[in-house]
Amino acid sequence: MTEPKAPGFSTLAIHAGAAPDPATGARATPIYQTTSFVFDDVDHAASLFGLQAFGNIYSRLGNPTCAVLEERVAALEGGTAALGVASGHAAEFLVMHTLLQPGDEFIASKKLYGGSINQFNHSYKNFDWRVKWADPDDLSTFEAAVSEKTKAIFIESIANPGGVIVDIQAIADIAHRAGVPLIVDNTMATPYLIRPFEHGADIVVHSATKFLGGHGNSVAGVIVDGGRFDWIKSGRYPMLSKPRPEYNGMVLGETFGNFGFAIACRVLGLRDLGPALSPFNAFMILTGIETLPLRMQRHCDNALKVAQHLQRHPKVAWVSYPGLEGDKYNGLAKRYSPKGAGAVFTFGLKGGYDAGVALVSNLKMFSHLANIGDTRSLVIHPASTTHRQLTAEQQTQAGAGPEVVRLSIGLEDVEDIIADLDEALAAS
Ligand SMILES: *Cc1c(COP(=O)(O)O)cnc(C)c1O
C-alpha cells in the first residue's frame, strides 16, 4: 500500500483545522463570539484548569474560532502547534517572555521592522531582557554576539523594509552551536514563499495583520512551535523545564513534549499577560488565508514588474528588490524564496527628500500609510514620516535616507500601479 499523499499548500490554506460545525453544519468557520464556555461538571472544570484535559474555558486562553486559525497556520508552516494572539508584537513579546529571565540576552538582526527594534531596545529594558544587535550581511557578527547569557536569536526571513533576504540556515546553525533556538519573523514572506522550519528555525512568529490576513482589516499575531528544540535536555529555559507552581508542579516541556513551547506561551504568557485574539479578527484572518497562495503569487509578480519598471525610470537612482537580476540578495532569493521575493521594497529618488514628499502627495491610487501587506498598493516616505524623529545619520543607517521611498505592491492591475507611479513621478 502506498502512503496517502499529504495535502498540498493550497488545500491546507482552505481546509486545515476546519470541519463543518458539528452543531449546525455551518461550512465557513463560525465566529464563536463568547467570553466563556460551560463546564460539564466540577471535575471537568478542574481537569481543564489543571491542564489534564484540552477544552475551552475562557476566550482569553483560547477560543474555537481562534483554534482553527492556530491549526491552519501550524499546518502551513509545518509546525507542531500554534497560538493566536492580539498582534504581531504580542507574539514576539510572549515568545521572549517564555524564553528569557531577567538579565538574559538575545541576539537580533539589525534588519527588522522598526516597531520590533523599538520593542527590543526600549520596552524590554523593563524586564531586563537585553538585546545584542547583529548584521545579517555579516554572519560573524552573530557568532561574536553569543555569550553565556544568550537565550535566542531573532531574525526576519524577508526583512523590513523589504529588499533583504536572510540566510536562515546559516543563522540557525549558529544558534544551534550556541545551544539556543532560532526565532524567525515570517511576516513578509508568509509560508507560501518561505517555510523557516525547513531551514532550521525553531519558532516562527507572524504579524497576521499583514499578508496572512491580507486585506488591511484586522490586527492579529501568531506564534508557531517547530517542535524540534529539546527544552528539557537544554535545561536553560526554566519556564519549560522547571515545575510550575501554578500547575501543581507540572513541567510543561515534559508533559507536552514537542508542542510544549506553544502550550507555555498560552498558559504562562497569554493567560497571565492577556493579549487575546478576538474571534472576529481570527475569522477575518482565516478568510484571508484561504486565498493566500493566489494573493502572494500576484503580489510578487506585480512587485517584480514594478521594480523592473522603476529601475528603468530616469528619476529613480536605485531599486532594492531581491527579485531583480544583479540585486545583492538575488542569490539568496533564488535559494530561499524561488516563487518570488515578496511585495515590499524600497527605491531611491534622484531628487532626494523633496522628491519623496512630492511623490507621496502626487500618487492617486497608492495609499499613503504605515502598513504593508494589503490588497491595495501602499506607499510611505520614511524620512518625512515614520523615521522623522531620527538624525540624518540614523535615518541612513536604518535604510530610511532622505531619498528612500517604500512600496507595498497590491493586487490591482499592474498597468494601473505603474501608471499611477509614472504620473506621480512626472509631476514630482
Ligand atoms: C507589522 C509587523 C510586526 C508587528 O505586528 P503588529 O501586528 O502590527 O503588532 C512585526 N513584524 C513585522 C515584520 C511586521 O511587519
Side-chain angles (χ1 to χ4, degrees), residues 320-393:
S320 169
Y321 184 64
L324 293 171
E325 292 292 334
D327 184 88
K328 180 176 169 190
Y329 298 100
N330 189 245
L332 284 168
K334 284 184 171 140
R335 177 167 156 214
Y336 283 105
S337 199
K339 292 198 281 280
V344 180
F345 67 91
T346 55
F347 68 98
L349 286 165
K350 287 182 185 160
Y353 186 92
D354 293 341
V357 173
L359 178 71
V360 291
S361 63
N362 289 329
L363 282 164
K364 294 197 174 73
M365 189 174 75
F366 273 81
S367 304
H368 177 209
L369 51 73
N371 192 23
I372 56 168
D374 196 324
T375 52
R376 290 155 276 260
S377 288
L378 315 174
V379 63
I380 197 148
H381 176 234
S384 62
T385 55
T386 51
H387 289 62
R388 195 166 179 158
Q389 75 285 4
L390 302 183
T391 65
E393 198 193 335

Side-chain angles (χ1 to χ4, degrees), residues 87-89 92 113 116 156 160 185 187-188 207 209-210 219-220 372:
S87 68
H89 267 352
E92 296 170 68
Y113 172 66
S116 301
E156 289 176 3
N160 240 307
D185 181 335
T187 298
M188 298 256 274
S207 169
T209 314
K210 316 293 169 55
V219 175
I372 56 168

Side-chain angles (χ1 to χ4, degrees), residues 179-375:
V180 305
L182 176 66
I183 308 159
V184 177
D185 181 335
N186 203 29
T187 298
M188 298 256 274
T190 82
Y192 175 72
L193 294 179
I194 301 179
R195 293 176 14 122
F197 294 138
E198 292 172 0
H199 307 290
D202 301 287
I203 297 159
V204 164
V205 294
H206 276 283
S207 169
T209 314
K210 316 293 169 55
F211 293 97
L212 285 182
H215 294 71
N217 59 28
S218 307
V219 175
V222 183
I223 298 165
V224 193
D225 187 343
R228 280 195 302 251
F229 196 89
D230 192 336
W231 309 104
I232 300 298
K233 193 168 143 210
S234 157
R236 297 177 64 203
Y237 300 90
M239 300 278 267
L240 289 138
S241 65
K242 291 257 158 58
R244 292 307 308 182
E246 64 274 66
Y247 292 108
N248 213 2
M250 186 181 275
V251 176
L252 296 175
E254 218 164 65
T255 304
F256 297 102
N258 72 355
F259 57 101
F261 183 78
I263 294 282
C265 288
R266 185 188 302 276
V267 304
L268 304 178
L270 184 56
R271 191 197 70 167
D272 291 351
L273 303 171
L277 172 59
S278 107
F280 183 80
N281 282 9
F283 172 85
M284 297 304 278
I285 305 291
L286 271 170
T287 304
I289 289 176
E290 292 183 7
T291 54
L292 178 69
L294 297 171
R295 287 189 293 102
M296 274 322 274
Q297 192 60 59
R298 178 65 70 86
H299 274 299
C300 291
D301 295 348
N302 280 358
L304 178 61
K305 286 184 192 141
V306 173
Q308 286 167 336
H309 180 80
L310 287 174
Q311 212 176 21
R312 294 188 294 264
H313 197 285
K315 289 193 174 174
V316 171
W318 52 263
V319 179
S320 169
Y321 184 64
L324 293 171
E325 292 292 334
D327 184 88
K328 180 176 169 190
Y329 298 100
N330 189 245
L332 284 168
K334 284 184 171 140
R335 177 167 156 214
Y336 283 105
S337 199
K339 292 198 281 280
V344 180
F345 67 91
T346 55
F347 68 98
L349 286 165
K350 287 182 185 160
Y353 186 92
D354 293 341
V357 173
L359 178 71
V360 291
S361 63
N362 289 329
L363 282 164
K364 294 197 174 73
M365 189 174 75
F366 273 81
S367 304
H368 177 209
L369 51 73
N371 192 23
I372 56 168
D374 196 324
T375 52

